[in-house]
Amino acid sequence: MDRPVRVLFVCLGNICRSPLAEGAFRKLLRERGLEDRFQVDSAGTGAWHAGEPMDPRARKVLEQEGAYFPHVARQMTREDALLYDHILVMDQENLREVLRRFPEARGKAQLLMDYLGGGEVGDPYYGDFQDCLEAYWTVEAACRAFLDHLERDGSPGTASPGGA
Ligand code: 4NP
């Protein structure tokens, strides 16, 4: 059997945006019966929140959406840059930081929003619950577009038997 497709979501703190994206993506995989075909995680470029649970607002959004999963924040490592096939970053600043620190991520790191016509996922950390909910809707739509893309292109682990 093909090895799993490895997907890492990255933001600054790994307590709001990237856990929202990870939760949304995990939920999509469950809905499509693809959980076994993927290895999914998230990380932050910063270490300030490492070891902490996700932001309570993000947790509430994910619970409300049926997408909650246990999460402990962590900082992205060079091993991540080597291991993951797709490193989907929330904004330009963090994408620059990923590529500056880990040249190994070249060709694998990109903005998540590239799959939804471009742009960035704004930081809801200094906003309120509604900002967090809107960030979820944004990352959920982008994750759906990303997964559609993988399934269409028959990426390893998602190709249908006999498919291209
Ligand atoms: P995230 O949000 O990158 O979406 O997890 C933030 C979390 C923490 C901080 C900034 C953004 N912070 O400055 O501590």
Side-chain angles (χ1 to χ4, degrees), residues 11-18 48-49 123-126:
C11 62
L12 178 62
N14 192 216
I15 56 170
C16 292
R17 289 167 293 176
S18 58
W48 309 284
H49 296 280
D123 187 352
Y125 185 62
Y126 296 103

Side-chain angles (χ1 to χ4, degrees), residues 3-23:
R3 70 162 177 80
V5 180
R6 298 175 182 133
V7 180
L8 182 72
F9 296 97
V10 178
C11 62
L12 178 62
N14 192 216
I15 56 170
C16 292
R17 289 167 293 176
S18 58
L20 287 173
E22 182 181 346

Side-chain angles (χ1 to χ4, degrees), residues 11 15 21 29 32-33 59 64 69 72 81 96 98 101 113 161:
C11 62
I15 56 170
L29 293 180
R32 298 188 190 189
R59 177 177 181 144
Q64 190 173 300
F69 66 101
V72 178
R96 267 197 301 276
V98 166
R101 297 216 323 246
M113 292 303 285

Side-chain angles (χ1 to χ4, degrees), residues 10-104:
V10 178
C11 62
L12 178 62
N14 192 216
I15 56 170
C16 292
R17 289 167 293 176
S18 58
L20 287 173
E22 182 181 346
F25 193 65
R26 287 183 180 280
K27 183 182 173 189
L28 286 167
L29 293 180
R30 279 198 301 279
E31 287 171 359
R32 298 188 190 189
L34 293 171
E35 286 167 286
D36 295 346
R37 311 267 188 100
F38 283 83
Q39 179 179 339
V40 186
D41 202 358
S42 62
T45 57
W48 309 284
H49 296 280
E52 293 177 13
M54 70 179 76
D55 183 281
R57 295 162 299 183
R59 177 177 181 144
K60 196 170 163 204
V61 166
L62 289 179
E63 285 174 343
Q64 190 173 300
E65 299 291 331
Y68 178 72
F69 66 101
H71 172 74
V72 178
R74 69 178 185 88
Q75 188 174 28
M76 186 181 167
T77 63
R78 170 152 287 113
E79 287 68 35
D80 290 324
L82 291 165
L83 179 70
Y84 283 89
D85 304 307
H86 300 276
I87 299 169
L88 301 174
V89 187
M90 300 301 139
D91 58 40
Q92 285 286 1
E93 200 175 326
N94 285 296
L95 178 58
R96 267 197 301 276
E97 183 64 6
V98 166
L99 293 171
R100 186 185 70 77
R101 297 216 323 246
F102 310 119
E104 300 87 349

